[in-house]
Amino acid sequence: MDFIPITAQDKKRMLETTGFDTVDELFGTSIPGNVRLNRPLNLPAGTSEYELIRHMRNVAADNADLTEYVSFLGAGAYDHFIPSIVDAIISLPEFNTPYTPYQAEVSQGILQSLFEYQTMISELTGLDIANASLYDGSTAMAEAALLAHDVTGNRRIIVSGAVHPEYRAVLKTYTMGIGATIETVSVSNGATDTDALEELADDGCACIIVQQPNFFGYLENVDAISAIAARYPALLLVSFDPVSLGILKPPAEYGADVVTAEGQLFGNSLSFGGPYLGVFACRGEYLRRVPGHLISATNDTAGRTGYVLTLQTREQHIKRERATSNICTCEVLNAIAAAVHLSYLGPNGLREVATQCTQKAHYAFEQLKSIDYLEPLSDAPFFKEFAFKSSRSVPSINERLYDKGIIGGFDIGRVLPEHEDTILFCVTEKRTKDEIDTMVRVMRSL
């Protein structure tokens, strides 16, 4: 970020305008005291710009990053390879500085890029409509639940216990305002217990939410779950891994009504957890209930193709009581990055990435299975993630791996106390046989 200096006189005039005597007084009106830094920055005094940059680089060097560490961490954020073409294109000034493109006459390039993104998501999922993105995978899933409530008039939401627990927390917060009742389906052998789901489902359900592959990495019996949902007014909502669709059938083929995903794994780096990309797609009958923005192609009076913001069912544009979402923007640059990445891969490239993920994950699973203190959490089929129960403490395992330059698996017990000492590994196409063997060797030596 550029440094924009202000003089003491500038500051004095701004404070006079806002009616405050000091900057601290101004901040005190909006920033809670317990999150404010009530001391000077821990920086050397009187340093030059060059010295300060060098100091900050030294501080940043204490962080582990994926140029030096090998990662087997997943659980919602993934270390997939990003082709150089992605950064080359999204770094162009016309892409790198856009906000939501309200002015269609000057934003044709951005609008076309988002239109292409929407088209790719529709082709990937098999569903009719995809929007121009939402904030992230969790908010996209919660928005889908609001759509289901709007469609069915029901407030009862059934969600699988194998859906990411942080996504379920966002869902709970999001649907609190409509008075939704959330019921969680138990998990059996690493996947949704379809018998338990059968008992919970009824005509009062707004939706049934599952994740494919689920939080533990295992594949759900989506055909059986879809059959249960089809017997009731409930919509089937699926949170999916976009890369997995390189080898798994599209959600539309097993009856999903609305699908959502975290799109970070297409062209977007891990970046300390954001900004990410909320993928949202649904059947055509829900067109006017889609949250966020929808870009369409049309023709002008001269027959030339143009791109327009077609629908924005949010309260800034329509009556509040008719708005379907409070989300005010889309993740434009992240969506364009995803579109570039998908264009570069093509169907064959995506299939190759998904195949490599699966093959390498299964190789790693077989190697880890031979370690005496690990026991597979389930024998269910999996894609690129899998979990083990451990008789050794997961933090101690990860600490040892970290010392060897390896970021280990996710400690599931951190978010699900009933799964204490359970570790979730992720193996993407980036991992090599040597890296997997090294991780196994370190863990075997414990």
Side-chain angles (χ1 to χ4, degrees):
M1 176 180 289
D2 292 336
F3 174 63
I4 304 174
I6 60 172
T7 65
Q9 186 63 25
D10 292 335
K11 188 184 294 184
K12 182 173 180 293
R13 288 175 57 196
M14 286 190 283
L15 287 171
E16 288 173 352
T17 301
T18 53
F20 294 97
D21 294 327
T22 65
V23 172
D24 284 341
E25 186 182 334
L26 170 64
F27 288 167
T29 63
S30 56
I31 304 175
N34 61 337
V35 299
R36 294 177 62 191
L37 184 66
N38 295 308
R39 59 170 174 76
L41 291 173
N42 184 21
L43 292 172
T47 54
S48 66
E49 180 181 355
Y50 169 71
E51 290 170 327
L52 183 60
I53 291 172
R54 189 173 60 178
H55 172 78
M56 295 307 293
R57 282 178 176 164
N58 289 336
V59 172
D62 289 338
N63 293 320
D65 66 62
L66 298 180
T67 61
E68 298 179 3
Y69 284 76
V70 172
S71 176
F72 291 90
L73 190 63
Y78 299 101
D79 179 28
H80 286 283
F81 176 68
I82 302 174
S84 299
I85 191 173
V86 174
D87 283 341
I89 290 181
I90 66 171
S91 297
L92 296 172
E94 53 268 44
F95 287 132
N96 204 20
T97 58
Y99 185 56
T100 306
Y102 297 110
Q103 297 173 297
E105 69 277 11
V106 295
S107 305
Q108 283 296 293
I110 297 295
L111 289 167
Q112 182 178 358
S113 302
L114 293 174
F115 179 79
E116 303 290 352
Y117 161 79
Q118 292 175 177
T119 304
M120 292 176 201
I121 296 301
S122 286
E123 290 179 346
L124 191 64
T125 60
L127 288 162
D128 309 306
I129 305 291
N131 73 5
S133 79
L134 298 171
Y135 293 153
D136 57 22
S138 63
T139 52
M141 190 186 84
E143 289 285 348
L146 293 182
L147 183 149
H149 158 69
D150 196 33
V151 168
T152 63
N154 294 332
R155 295 179 180 175
R156 189 159 165 260
I157 295 171
I158 297 179
V159 59
S160 167
V163 169
H164 197 306
E166 292 173 348
Y167 281 33
R168 285 188 277 138
V170 171
L171 174 70
K172 181 180 178 182
T173 303
Y174 235 84
T175 56
M176 190 179 299
I178 62 170
T181 301
I182 298 176
E183 296 184 37
T184 305
V185 186
S186 58
V187 176
S188 175
N189 194 31
T192 304
D193 185 335
T194 52
D195 291 336
L197 175 61
E198 188 84 67
E199 292 180 7
L200 283 175
D202 61 22
D203 289 335
C205 296
C207 57
I208 295 171
I209 306 176
V210 296
Q211 188 174 357
Q212 177 73 336
N214 65 33
F215 172 64
F216 303 103
Y218 302 108
L219 299 182
E220 295 283 358
N221 186 350
V222 285
D223 291 317
I225 293 169
S226 179
I228 294 172
R231 290 198 285 273
Y232 304 101
L235 273 57
L236 176 60
L237 276 48
V238 179
S239 175
F240 67 100
D241 179 324
V243 170
S244 72
L245 296 189
I247 54 176
L248 298 180
K249 63 181 177 182
E253 290 189 12
Y254 54 80
D257 296 294
V258 186
V259 298
T260 57
E262 174 49 66
Q264 169 267 322
L265 30 62
F266 286 142
N268 293 285
S269 58
L270 292 166
S271 297
F272 297 96
Y276 281 174
L277 174 68
V279 175
F280 186 101
C282 64
R283 298 192 181 281
E285 62 199 272
Y286 308 129
L287 171 65
R288 295 190 175 278
R289 302 176 191 272
V290 172
H293 299 77
L294 197 64
I295 315 298
S296 297
T298 187
N299 294 320
D300 65 11
T301 55
R304 296 171 299 191
T305 300
Y307 298 90
V308 294
L309 271 170
T310 303
L311 289 173
Q312 300 175 85
T313 55
R314 58 193 184 127
E315 64 184 37
Q316 280 184 319
H317 292 86
I318 62 176
K319 292 180 180 178
R320 170 172 287 189
E321 62 272 19
R322 296 183 58 197
T324 59
S325 171
N326 288 321
I327 283 187
C328 294
T329 188
C330 50
E331 299 285 1
V332 174
L333 192 62
N334 301 68
I336 294 174
V340 175
H341 195 160
L342 278 166
S343 300
Y344 180 76
L345 287 178
N348 291 336
L350 183 60
R351 187 179 305 113
E352 175 64 23
V353 172
T355 300
Q356 286 203 30
C357 288
T358 304
Q359 290 177 341
K360 293 179 178 181
H362 282 73
Y363 173 75
F365 173 81
E366 291 299 327
Q367 299 304 306
L368 289 167
K369 199 168 65 170
S370 65
I371 296 178
D372 57 5
Y373 60 84
L374 294 178
E375 179 184 353
L377 181 67
S378 166
D379 59 4
F382 61 87
F383 171 52
K384 67 183 180 188
E385 291 178 281
F386 51 86
F388 279 99
K389 287 287 293 182
S390 172
S391 59
R392 295 180 183 271
S393 129
V394 172
S396 67
I397 294 173
N398 283 337
E399 188 176 339
R400 183 64 177 271
L401 288 170
Y402 190 80
D403 290 341
K404 300 297 181 181
I406 298 170
I407 299 173
F410 182 76
D411 183 356
I412 296 180
R414 286 176 51 192
V415 292
L416 295 174
E418 66 271 28
H419 285 286
E420 185 180 8
D421 292 331
T422 304
I423 185 168
L424 177 69
F425 292 97
C426 173
V427 185
T428 69
E429 81 283 2
K430 284 180 68 175
R431 299 289 69 86
T432 66
K433 180 176 182 299
D434 283 347
E435 290 170 347
I436 295 170
D437 289 343
T438 300
M439 177 186 69
V440 173
R441 191 162 52 249
V442 173
M443 292 185 63
R444 192 171 281 145
S445 68
L446 294 176

